[in-house]
Amino acid sequence: MNVFTISGGRPLEGSLTVHGAKNSVLPILAATVLCPGVTTIQNCPPLSDVTASLSILTHLGCRVTQEGDTVTVDASTLTRQSIPDSLMREMRSSVLFLGAILGRTGRVSLSYPGGCELGPRPIDLHLDALRTLGAEIREGPEGLICEAAQLRGGAVTLPLPSVGATENAILAAVSASGVTTITNAAREPEILDLQRFLCTLGARVCGAGGSVITIQGGLPLHGGTYRVMGDRIVACTHLAAAAAAGGEITLLGVDPVHLVPVTDLFQSAGCQVHSDGKALHLACRGPLHGGATIRTAPYPGFPTDAQAPVMASLCGARGTTLFVETIFQSRYRHVDELIRMGAEIRTEGRVAVLTGVSRLHGAHVRAHDLRGGAALVVAGLGAEGVTTVEGLEHIDRGYFHLEDDLCRLGAEIQRIDKGASDCGVTKEQKTEKA
Ligand code: EPZ
């Protein structure tokens, strides 16, 4: 079993180019199914979630090549219209293939994506949007069967700005005859990236980034090349690492505008933050102070994906910080692990109250989900002593070689293979595992 070992207390210094955005590349890879040609995606990080998407594309009959951070998909001929449970369960975002396969072939069958560590992950808004565009959806023995001889444009109104439902509706609408409007659409930057990718292929999509998106469907699509935006959540994670460990870092490859709620938070906590439009600089030369109320919200609000890394960075901040997680029902699984490191945090439902301590201490901790795992790395960088983090399969879903990037900034972190028997797991943790 691989673990991270982190020797905390070393300030971070230097600059780093942030890799491509997981939450942009996943819908874009699903969208390649719509195009009966060859598409090339650049700045595509070789993450495990990307690998899972490429497995689905191959299963569908696409010819896929991957060289470093460039992926080429030839979707000229599809040979299947279904995604098996084994592939659906590998990655939550497999549901993003729903609209694209339905739009391209008129039929798709897939099992429900796994409810993941963040609480229930329903897809009712996805299905309602597809029904509005003419899809017939029924429960089959293996899960869902969606059919539509011809999708037709319509007026989709989302009861809440779901990122995935917005993306699925766009992908189905691109193939629908006529015009589709999506009202109360999610405004995340990754959706604007998807729009730009689709327009590169000849689709006509506009309004992404705002709450109303309009798609002129039924246009022929051709191949093309697209470079994915930088990952704003990976950038937030590196900022949190520098805030926790101290030091001064510069991030490139990401749009600073996408991180404003998080950079504002670190500024108010005592960091110096500035950007010149392209590069983002953060310096932390002293103890942080808490006192903020951090309420997660759909973009442009405070991103729920940054909640855990930011919480980890504030464990040593003076004062009390209040977190309200409004997006997901259960997104505090990193709290118990932070408490093992000496953090003082109380949770009640969607609220977490963090009381700063002078310093965390190293411990053996376990990642339960992607961003919670990243939070434990952030905490380890600021802690006194050595922290061991297991559960790297969660972290590798969204961070490509996180340890290499942090080493480049001066952190002391290693990925080592600690056999299952000896990973510093305490007796009670072994019992838990059993
Ligand atoms: C996307 O998930 C991201 N994943 C998540 O990032 C991110 O946390 C989330 O958006 C919110 O920003 C990808 O883009 C691959 P939602 P998604 O639909 O689309 C409820 C990460 O760490 N809901 O906006 O699943 C849902 O339960 C991941 O990178 C319904 O009720 O998020 C949640 O409470 C984690 N019915 C809320 O809406 C539905 O049909 C927001 O979910 C769909 C969603």
Side-chain angles (χ1 to χ4, degrees):
M1 166 181 63
N2 285 335
V3 299
F4 281 152
T5 57
I6 303 162
S7 298
R10 296 163 62 101
L12 302 187
E13 306 284 343
S15 68
L16 187 67
T17 299
V18 175
H19 64 61
K22 167 179 86 78
N23 291 349
S24 178
V25 83
L26 294 181
I28 284 175
L29 286 173
T32 62
V33 163
L34 290 169
C35 172
V38 179
T39 47
T40 300
I41 318 296
Q42 297 171 334
N43 201 26
C44 177
L47 302 164
S48 53
D49 270 10
V50 169
T51 304
S53 292
L54 300 185
S55 302
I56 292 174
L57 288 169
T58 305
H59 171 83
L60 294 172
C62 301
R63 282 194 299 282
V64 172
T65 60
Q66 181 179 25
E67 282 168 40
D69 67 358
T70 299
V71 163
T72 300
V73 179
D74 180 348
S76 304
T77 312
L78 298 186
T79 55
R80 290 193 178 95
Q81 300 163 319
S82 66
I83 302 178
D85 190 48
S86 56
L87 290 178
M88 280 300 288
R89 290 200 171 279
E90 238 183 274
M91 180 186 62
R92 236 286 316 151
S93 331
S94 38
V95 71
L96 293 175
F97 281 86
L98 189 57
I101 300 171
L102 184 63
R104 175 77 187 272
T105 71
R107 188 179 194 282
V108 55
S109 63
L110 44 80
S111 60
Y112 278 98
C116 83
E117 56 281 336
L118 309 181
R121 303 289 293 273
I123 60 169
D124 54 321
L125 304 184
H126 298 239
L127 303 182
D128 291 346
L130 298 183
R131 287 190 184 97
T132 302
L133 302 182
E136 285 178 21
I137 299 170
R138 54 194 162 83
E139 294 271 353
E142 305 295 311
L144 288 169
I145 298 171
C146 307
E147 290 172 317
Q150 173 55 56
L151 290 168
R152 58 180 185 278
V156 172
T157 298
L158 295 175
L160 61 90
S162 155
V163 172
T166 300
E167 291 164 342
N168 246 326
I170 292 171
L171 296 180
V174 165
S175 304
S177 59
V179 176
T180 296
T181 55
I182 303 170
T183 305
N184 197 25
R187 298 169 53 192
E188 273 69 4
E190 291 78 17
I191 296 173
L192 181 53
D193 225 25
L194 175 63
Q195 170 177 293
R196 288 174 174 154
F197 169 71
L198 290 167
C199 290
T200 304
L201 307 186
R204 203 168 297 160
V205 185
C206 62
S211 297
V212 180
I213 300 174
T214 305
I215 302 101
Q216 165 69 51
L219 302 178
L221 302 183
H222 51 74
T225 297
Y226 188 75
R227 182 174 179 78
V228 169
M229 63 182 266
D231 193 311
R232 61 191 169 103
I233 305 302
V234 169
C236 291
T237 306
H238 287 306
L239 296 180
E248 182 166 354
I249 65 168
T250 297
L251 298 181
L252 303 164
V254 69
D255 184 343
V257 168
H258 294 161
L259 292 77
V260 164
V262 175
T263 49
D264 283 355
L265 181 277
F266 282 129
Q267 196 121 34
S268 70
C271 298
Q272 291 78 46
V273 181
H274 68 272
S275 78
D276 58 10
K278 285 231 179 296
L280 182 60
H281 311 275
L282 178 140
C284 178
R285 299 274 183 229
L288 297 173
H289 27 268
T293 292
I294 298 174
R295 173 187 293 273
T296 63
Y299 193 89
F302 192 99
T304 173
D305 296 345
Q307 176 255 107
V310 167
M311 180 187 285
S313 72
L314 295 179
C315 286
R318 291 184 183 141
T320 300
T321 303
L322 179 66
F323 289 82
V324 184
E325 173 52 62
T326 70
I327 306 293
F328 289 109
Q329 198 173 321
S330 158
R331 200 164 199 175
Y332 288 134
R333 294 190 65 191
H334 48 284
V335 168
D336 285 346
E337 304 300 317
L338 292 173
I339 290 171
R340 273 185 206 285
M341 299 177 69
E344 281 187 24
I345 307 169
R346 283 180 295 113
T347 62
E348 179 68 41
R350 291 178 180 247
V351 174
V353 180
L354 166 64
T355 305
V357 295
S358 55
R359 192 136 182 236
L360 296 182
H361 57 74
H364 180 87
V365 290
R366 189 183 315 159
H368 298 286
D369 59 69
L370 165 56
R371 306 304 175 184
L376 301 179
V377 174
V378 166
L381 293 169
E384 185 151 18
V386 177
T387 298
T388 309
V389 181
E390 67 173 76
L392 303 193
E393 67 279 7
H394 294 291
I395 300 173
D396 290 342
R397 286 186 46 222
Y399 297 85
F400 181 60
H401 290 183
L402 177 60
E403 69 277 21
D404 295 349
D405 282 349
L406 290 170
C407 285
R408 210 165 287 139
L409 295 175
E412 201 170 321
I413 174 174
Q414 274 186 306
R415 180 188 295 254
I416 56 175
D417 182 359
K418 301 256 292 184
S421 57
D422 163 32
C423 61
V425 176
T426 57
K427 188 169 174 306
E428 60 273 11
Q429 282 174 327
K430 277 192 180 132
T431 315
E432 266 172 38
K433 282 188 173 204

